[in-house]
Amino acid sequence: MEPDVSIETDCEIRVAVLPIGGPIPPPRLRDYLSMLSGHRRVDLSSVSSFYTEHQKSPFTHQPWDSGSLRFKYVVGGAPPSPWEDFQSCRKTLAVVGLCHCPSSPDLSLVADLFAAACKPYTSALVHRCFAFCPSDSQLDEGKKVDKVILFPPSDRQTQEIHMLTMVQDLAASLLMEFEKWVLRAESAGTILKTPLDSQSSLSSEEVIKAKKRRLGRAQKTIGDYCLLAGSPVDANAHYSTAIELARLTGDVFWHAGALEGSVCALLVDRAGQKDATLEEEVKYRYYTVIQLYRRAYLQDNAQRVSTVSFELEAALKLARYLCRQELAKEVVELLMGAADGAKSLIDASDRLILYVEIARIYGSLGYQRKAAFFSRQVAQLYLQQDNSFAAISALQVLSLTSKAYHVQSRGASQKQDTLSNSLGPSHADGGKMHQQSVVSLFESQWSTLQMVVLREILMSSVRAGDPLAAWSAAARLLRSYYPLITPAGQSGLASSLVNSSERLPAGTRCADPALPFIRLHSFPIHPSQMDIVKRSPAKEEWWAGSAPSGPFIYTPFSKGGSNDSNKQELTWIVGEPVQVLVELANPCGFDLVVESIYLSVHSGNFDAFPVSVNLPPNSAKVILLSGIPTKVGPVLIPGCKVHCFGVITEHLFKDVDNLLLGAAQGLVLSDPFRSCGSGKLKIVSVPNISVVPPLPLLVSHVVGGDGAAILYEGEIRDIAISFTNAGTVPVEQAHISLSGKNQDSVISIARESLRSALPLKPGAEVTLPVTIKAWQLGMMDSDHASSKNSSGVSRISKEGSIPLLVIHYAGPLTYNESPKNGDFVSPGRRLVVPLHVCVLQGLRFVKARLLSMEIPAHVHDSLPNPIFVDDGSAEVVTSPNSVNSLVKIDPYSGSWVFRLLELELSNPTDVVFEVNVSVRMDGTNNGNGVTSIQNYAADFGYPKTRIDCDFSARVLIPLEHFKLPVLDGSFFAKESQTTDGLGSKISNPAERNSKAELNASINNLITKIKVRWQSGRNSSGELNIKDAIQAALQASMMDILLPEPLTFLFTLAKNGIANEGIKSPKELSEQTIVAGDSSIQSASGSNTRFKGSISAHEMTPMEVLIRNNTKEPIQMSLSVTCRDVAGENCIEGSKATVLWAGVLTGIQLEVPPLEEVSHSFSLYFLVPGDYTLMGSAIINSATEMLRARARTDSSEETIFCRGSPFHINVVGAL
Amino acid sequence: MDDYSKSCLIDLGFQWVLQDPKAATIRESESGNSGGGEEERRQLGKMIVCVAVVGHQNNPVFLQSFTDSDDALKLHHIVHCSLDVIDERVNNPKKSGPTLNDTFLGVLYPMDDCKVYGYLTNTNVKFIMVTTEIDVKDGDLRSFFKDLHSAYVDAVSNPFHIPGKKITSKSFAKRVSSIVKSFRSGTTS
């Protein structure tokens, strides 16, 4: 059988092309051959100029204008076929020698060699030897040696024209030879032999039969020559005769041959046309041909020589002719028939050719799988031959099939890929897979077939001595089908990988990755110490807006724009090492030694550091791959480079991602990571990584150790933090801010010292003192602490509760070597320094109480040294000499009040605390320039309170007296309204004002009080008493702050003169009496006599001032009582010791709002001693407000108002 | 062959575990000398050799052979190769003309000793049947494929079946064998 047959093969003139002389360099040989093989078809019209008609041409119908001669060049020649008499196209009719002159200097020797080379080709009618690139001397010599045709050195085009001429000359010579041959055959006849004939026994009968047949055979052969000479009409005529004769003589075999020739003549005659009738004709005739061949085969089956190959060739020729999608069914039937016929082929190479042809026709029909199947058969036939060339052929054929079975090497498939889509940022479409890869996942389920194919590739490449192909096949086999291979088989593959790599030079790369499986684990984000912040140079706070602010991770208002959320951006810095976590898996049953693995970066601006890993059987490992970015620009990391089993391969993350996706869908055999016990991991996409120029890098440490400072609640301490610039660029901008919890605890930061240190050169250091006041532990904390206290551990340090020092810093705005784009701004950085503070519980509040004490006022006639406040407001006024006094007079009630805040503190710690209370008195800078003296209570000389471990102690804090001047309904508004059942909240501005005033006064008070503590030598701090005081005050706030609706004040009428009328409220208010030294002294019962003191047996005119503190007029019935020391009423009764004039009971009065009314009366004391005067009033038609103040609910109840008692010291008469 | 090749080939002498462990003996069954097997089959009578279900992405979903001989690989090849024809019909639906909506594809792949019949569902799932029977009535084939189709639909409706994955359900396999058995008895009677 012959390869590449078609119906037209019959009209092709076979030309052997032989290299002659010295060795020809392969590229030159290829060059010469391409020049020659361009002329497969030579038009008769162009041949005519070389043609001379010696005799009358037997080709009467030769189409000189349209016909052509066809050549088939057989490079290297072919041994003569035993069947060449049967089909003249099998004869080698011409020999062309190719000679490369530089390597064969002696042209006469070349001529001899050529003559010798031509000798085996007995049927060759024309010989030509072409010599290329001759030297000048050879050109001269060539004139003598006429057998060698020299191609003078010139450009290619000229040489091609030269070659064309030569081929046309060759064609003409052949044509003339054919004419000669035909004429001779027609006249003298010819003896044609086929192997069939030679095998036949030469019985007499046979000889006679053969003689009869000879004529038909001669006609057939003449037809062949006509066909070769390009004259199909002549050929057809001869073939018709031959067919008739063969039919008559029963020469089935030659009949078939002639018929075959006639079909070829028909096709050549109708060159280019392809209509249905022609096709039908061809089909009909060829089926007949096949039938005839089969008959011939059956007839001669007994013989040793099989003609089955002719039948198969005919089938293949027809199949090739019909090879169209529409006729696929017919073609398939023909091919299947041919494939069946393979069994009866004796010669293995025949079978090989048959399968090759079947595979080719299937391939051109589009039946890739069938083509692959037959290619595999071809490969198996090759493998049966035990030589490495056959193995190489097998390997090549199998490589062709690998595509159909979806096991092709990536090196081969990549070429196609690069055409369609470049490798580039293939991760752009995230988790989506290419359609192609999905299909390949599905197709990969034909594992049974695929493994066999791969195994055959492996075996053939081993035999062919192609270690790289072997390595690649073994790698594909191991990587894709490890679950189907036993551990022993896996180790076998591993050792074949190793064996192959031993034959390869070191550093060989292979496109197909073997093990391990590598997937991206994660990109560790920058530690907070090295955070990179985008810089917006336009803003003062350049870092603002770069990081999401606020409590929400996602803000819908952030100008996200183009960047989608799942695509993270990563910034790397030139010269700063970065790390990437990848996970490796070895699902096989042997120890995998990865000699080195490093990140594969295609962008070329990254130095990756190789790592070597050992993976035990069935294990997965997460490893850290690091590297240093070297240049500014984007970084692409499609995968890892792995040096394993002696070969360097690139493992793409994308592939494994696809594989894992397929495994998740159940399409792929198994998930290599899962089978190694590694958990399921979300597919990590490679972020957009960009490299920026070097940035400064601040490194911080706390002076004196980075450990947490242990502080008691409220303790104040200075911490020094030093910052060093570890980068290569100076820090030019730096800004400190606070974040995290307990930010208030940072009292001061020496921002100036940092600012003054700028620019901070590389390597420079700056120290920054920070003052911290330990914060209060929360409820949870303190509970926790108390529970822990029992076990003696009282330290509480919560990572979450510490304040963070955030430093935004940046280098120079534009980097010198920055790329051309001017708007490039090098980013800044953020350093987060946690202020490690461990807060211990300090003193604890047990309780806070308000203690108040009233000391009755004394009634005297004169007002000692009153101080008149300019604006006349009802402010608390202290006389200058009573600074140290804690006793304040209530301007409204007229009594002395002494108020203390008692704090009960306990010490649960194991150290001793000393508590020191101070009250800062706000200076009321009065108009006289007399600034009241403010001091800390330490000035009072209070001793420090020492609280031992596990003890409690009470601390008294003096409270300044304060009250609101007006009892306003608004204060009760809310209450009253709720009692009214209206329930509506009406808050007028006045009401709010008064409340705010109230709160402000409380806060004011609180800020003045400072409770400091000290423990040991170093610890000192402040107690936060705000809440405690607030709680203490809130309970009795109404009583403390709100004035009584009515206040009573007893005074002696001046000089005994009865009251001179009601004074103006302003004057009265100015008259408000403030306690003085004298009063204290008198209160302490000193003997000092005052002018106008009260003596017994004397009419003492007095008056009582009733002040209305409300904004409404109050009607009342007033009564005044006087009691002696024993508390007896000494005005009424039988034993009254005090006589009186005027009205003392049931005085009907109406006091206008915020004004005073005085009522005068006189008393006559019969007995000297101490008396107490007290005013009281029954309020008529009390308002809601008064009721609320009196805390009554029912409207019937009478409201009774009582003033504070006044003391009167009555001395005996002198 | 040099030493290297020999050593490699020795290394390759590992055991292959395929779905059919005996599939390593393909060489003999494939290379044509299966005369013995043929005879054996003739003795057994006409029968269905193999039934396969192939998914819409040409992925094998189910493949079962009903012969005693170890020709799983060969059947795999036959099924795989017959996909060519189905692919062609799927890709050029116009050509099928009057049989546009016909799910039954007829003979896909005539071979010397057996014939391959195909059936294509609307979702591009292919049923392929390999039989050694030369003359089968069209109606028998159609009803066979219809039964197979409904069995497949039931198997795929299993909530635990992952679309695209191989059908591992034993009851499906059982049902297929019973369909095959009934086909055999139906045609022989």
Side-chain angles (χ1 to χ4, degrees), chain A residues 286-320:
Chain A
Y286 246 95
Y287 277 123
T288 319
V289 168
I290 294 167
Q291 285 295 324
L292 288 171
Y293 275 132
R294 191 168 294 160
R295 243 167 68 200
Y297 168 57
L298 292 173
Q299 209 173 45
D300 301 325
N301 208 12
Q303 297 168 3
R304 231 176 264 169
V305 179
S306 164
T307 55
V308 74
S309 62
F310 286 94
E311 180 197 338
L312 297 180
E313 256 180 33
L316 289 178
K317 282 174 181 174
L318 181 58
R320 177 155 290 154

Side-chain angles (χ1 to χ4, degrees), chain A residues 95-97 114 126-130 147 149 166 169-170 173:
Chain A
V95 179
V96 171
F114 179 61
V126 182
H127 307 102
R128 292 281 188 281
C129 185
F130 301 147
K147 291 252 173 157
I149 300 158
M166 286 302 135
D169 174 51
L170 176 74
S173 309

Side-chain angles (χ1 to χ4, degrees), chain A residues 224-244:
Chain A
D224 281 350
Y225 275 97
C226 292
L227 206 51
L228 292 175
S231 173
V233 180
D234 289 319
N236 204 26
H238 288 289
Y239 281 136
S240 306
T241 326
I243 289 166
E244 283 306 309

